[in-house]
Amino acid sequence: DAGVIQSPRHEVTEMGQEVTLRCKPISGHDYLFWYRQTMMRGLELLIYFNNNVPIDDSGMPEDRFSAKMPNASFSTLKIQPSEPRDSAVYFCASSKGGGELFFGEGSRLTVL
Amino acid sequence: AQKVTQAQTEISVVEKEDVTLDCVYETRDTTYYLFWYKQPPSGELVFLIRRNSFDEQNEISGRYSWNFQKSTSSFNFTITASQVVDSAVYFCALSEERSSNTGKLIFGQGTTLQVKP
């Protein structure tokens, strides 16, 4: 089975531009998570979905961030407008519940 | 407040040495779950183990073992006879009861393990 697939793997953009990160979870998984990893703050949960419905978005930094899950096989995380402090590795993970998360390889975002 | 502390930022050992990665957690819940994840150089995090707060039995899986002690709020991870392929960042994580089914995890800062040949 394919694992969690994220795209793009690397993104370099300029401040003010819109960034869209994409994720395809493992088929059959009911939960989808977006995490952000930085040196300063470590791994932070941004938002998670259960059966395509956003359950907890308390980790989303501010209104510039938004996430959607239009169907069970696709999710996006959008940053508009992007800022240099958004530079990080963004991970998507999926699970059947219980804490065993399956992570994608991450999308490394650099905002200049 | 829930918190996970991995005091060791980096550890370097020579192949075949045993190494223990420390994890101390804080939670007010009586029911909670603890995890270890491995992040190899390729980047994705890989699940290693999940323990619940009522099961203090030590766990062994090949060269990996875990020691859970509620009295000291610790969940330490030992690699026996380390190998170069064990080089990675290791994360300890906590999930409280109300989050247990969802997998909403609080991660520690991670310990970078370097195993030299």
Side-chain angles (χ1 to χ4, degrees):
Chain A
D1 281 344
V4 175
I5 300 172
Q6 291 187 245
S7 65
R9 291 293 312 279
H10 301 274
E11 175 90 8
V12 180
T13 191
E14 293 190 347
M15 184 173 64
Q17 296 298 305
E18 178 178 294
V19 173
T20 298
L21 307 178
R22 297 173 178 80
C23 175
K24 177 179 169 54
I26 294 173
S27 177
H29 283 189
D30 300 327
Y31 293 90
L32 184 139
F33 305 81
W34 283 100
Y35 278 86
R36 178 171 69 175
Q37 185 177 33
T38 61
M39 289 295 293
M40 289 295 294
R41 300 173 69 88
L43 275 160
E44 303 173 279
L45 176 64
L46 300 177
I47 185 171
Y48 78 89
F49 296 82
N50 179 212
N51 292 323
N52 313 339
V53 176
I55 302 300
D56 184 350
D57 65 355
S58 59
M60 296 285 262
E62 48 199 90
D63 291 346
R64 296 185 298 107
F65 285 68
S66 62
K68 294 182 180 179
M69 192 166 185
N71 57 61
S73 59
F74 184 66
S75 177
T76 59
L77 178 67
K78 186 175 292 187
I79 308 172
Q80 166 64 18
S82 58
E83 296 182 3
R85 60 189 167 129
D86 302 331
S87 298
V89 180
Y90 291 82
F91 286 101
C92 177
S94 69
S95 84
K96 292 183 179 180
E100 183 176 353
L101 306 185
F102 292 79
F103 282 80
E105 293 183 312
S107 294
R108 182 175 295 276
L109 172 65
T110 302
V111 183
L112 303 174
Chain B
Q2 49 183 314
K3 185 180 179 182
V4 177
T5 302
Q6 294 179 255
Q8 304 151 307
T9 305
E10 293 184 20
I11 301 175
S12 182
V13 299
V14 177
E15 206 170 20
K16 297 184 183 177
E17 286 184 14
D18 298 348
V19 58
T20 295
L21 309 182
D22 298 334
C23 173
V24 174
Y25 61 91
E26 295 175 29
T27 178
R28 284 180 289 213
D29 280 16
T30 55
T31 302
Y32 51 90
Y33 300 82
L34 297 163
F35 304 80
W36 277 94
Y37 279 79
K38 174 182 180 179
Q39 185 176 33
S42 55
E44 80 284 11
L45 282 84
V46 178
F47 169 85
L48 295 178
I49 190 171
R50 173 186 191 240
R51 303 293 284 178
N52 73 56
S53 53
F54 296 107
D55 184 359
E56 287 193 71
Q57 276 195 325
N58 289 339
E59 176 100 6
I60 298 175
S61 177
R63 295 184 298 104
Y64 294 173
S65 62
W66 291 269
N67 181 261
F68 175 31
Q69 293 194 348
K70 286 179 80 170
S71 60
T72 56
S73 297
S74 65
F75 186 45
N76 296 337
F77 173 31
T78 297
I79 302 174
T80 303
S82 59
Q83 300 176 2
V84 173
V85 293
D86 296 327
S87 297
V89 183
Y90 291 87
F91 291 92
C92 181
L94 166 71
S95 174
E96 295 182 329
E97 181 179 19
R98 59 183 175 275
S99 305
S100 62
N101 286 332
T102 67
K104 182 177 177 180
L105 305 179
I106 303 299
F107 285 89
Q109 287 295 99
T111 296
T112 299
L113 174 64
Q114 183 181 36
V115 181
K116 299 178 180 177

